[in-house]
Amino acid sequence: NAGVTQTPKFQVLKTGQSMTLQCAQDMNHEYMSWYRQDPGMGLRLIHYSVGAGITDQGEVPNGYNVSRSTTEDFPLRLLSAAPSQTSVYFCASRLTGEYGSPLHFGNGTRLTVT
Amino acid sequence: GDSVTQMEGPVTLSEEAFLTINCTYTATGYPSLFWYVQYPGEGLQLLLKATKADDKGSNKGFEATYRKETTSFHLEKGSVQVSDSAVYFCALNTGANSKLTFGKGITLSVRP
């Protein structure tokens, strides 16, 4: 019963490098999303998707790209990392069409950009 | 837009103390309300939820009642344990396909 799986758990990048944070879920959830968590800021929504082929921006989308080619996967791409992107990143998914359906979270990726 | 306001933290309590964490909200429409908990080094887990006015969500000794008249969803527990030390987030969403809006979270530390 894997739920939401994020890889890697930890990553260190140099400024300007690119990388992809992976997220996969095995619950057949249509809705998937990416949040970043920073001290004193709570959780901020980066991008989300309500189904394969559909993505939209959240509160803080700049510097991040996403795509959704399958129901299961929702990768987050940093094209040119900046120190301001040092954060803990969480992927989360939920059923749509069901009122009160909760989000299921992965265990996070801790990213440091030097 | 939708918003969630949580009381300022952190909160430190002794074991077996009574806990209240305040949460109020502003929402267009009729929201579902949630409490999530985050233990150190982990992702968020759903603690409890309520989907209509006067509903009480409960889990692991925690309770919260959906109060439409005061737009509140305060979290309570009668006797906290050291293992309850975590960050607690209040959240809402206003439709079957809508995003969740989170409060800033509050850190609870319970000392033996």
Side-chain angles (χ1 to χ4, degrees):
Chain A
N1 196 7
V4 179
T5 302
Q6 290 184 238
T7 55
K9 290 190 191 316
F10 301 94
Q11 184 70 49
V12 179
L13 292 178
K14 293 190 188 320
T15 298
Q17 287 184 316
S18 63
M19 80 159 295
T20 299
L21 280 63
Q22 302 291 346
C23 175
Q25 53 89 12
D26 62 357
M27 297 172 283
N28 204 30
H29 287 171
E30 301 94 337
Y31 180 95
M32 296 186 74
S33 55
W34 279 100
Y35 288 86
R36 58 178 289 174
Q37 184 178 26
D38 303 289
M41 305 292 287
L43 288 163
R44 292 183 291 170
L45 182 64
I46 304 171
H47 285 285
Y48 66 99
S49 167
V50 297
I54 306 168
T55 63
D56 208 344
Q57 296 181 350
E59 301 171 66
V60 288
N62 292 341
Y64 307 95
N65 282 349
V66 292
S67 60
R68 183 95 180 269
S69 56
T70 67
T71 300
E72 294 79 19
D73 300 299
F74 190 44
L76 179 72
R77 296 184 186 85
L78 284 70
L79 297 179
S80 179
S84 61
Q85 294 178 304
T86 294
S87 187
V88 181
Y89 292 85
F90 289 100
C91 179
S93 70
R94 62 185 281 257
L95 288 171
T96 55
E98 183 177 303
Y99 190 70
S101 171
L103 273 177
H104 297 256
F105 282 81
N107 281 333
T109 295
R110 185 174 295 274
L111 175 68
T112 302
V113 183
T114 61
Chain B
D2 299 342
S3 68
V4 175
T5 302
Q6 293 184 232
M7 59 186 278
E8 296 283 327
V11 173
T12 302
L13 295 173
S14 297
E15 203 164 27
E16 300 183 3
F18 184 84
L19 169 71
T20 299
I21 301 177
N22 289 343
C23 171
T24 57
Y25 66 88
T26 303
T28 53
Y30 201 178
S32 294
L33 302 173
F34 306 86
W35 276 101
Y36 283 84
V37 59
Q38 184 181 29
Y39 298 105
E42 298 184 10
L44 280 71
Q45 304 172 23
L46 178 69
L47 181 58
L48 53 84
K49 71 175 188 180
T51 58
K52 60 182 189 294
D54 301 324
D55 262 3
K56 179 185 284 188
S58 61
N59 186 24
K60 298 182 181 180
F62 291 90
E63 293 182 339
T65 301
Y66 189 143
R67 301 287 187 202
K68 191 165 184 285
E69 63 277 12
T70 55
T71 62
S72 64
F73 193 53
H74 304 322
L75 183 68
E76 295 182 337
K77 186 174 186 183
S79 177
V80 294
Q81 305 301 311
V82 172
S83 57
D84 294 326
S85 298
V87 182
Y88 293 82
F89 292 90
C90 186
L92 68 84
N93 78 341
T94 52
N97 297 328
S98 69
K99 309 182 291 288
L100 258 71
T101 299
F102 285 87
K104 290 194 185 301
I106 185 169
T107 300
L108 170 66
S109 298
V110 180
R111 53 176 185 248

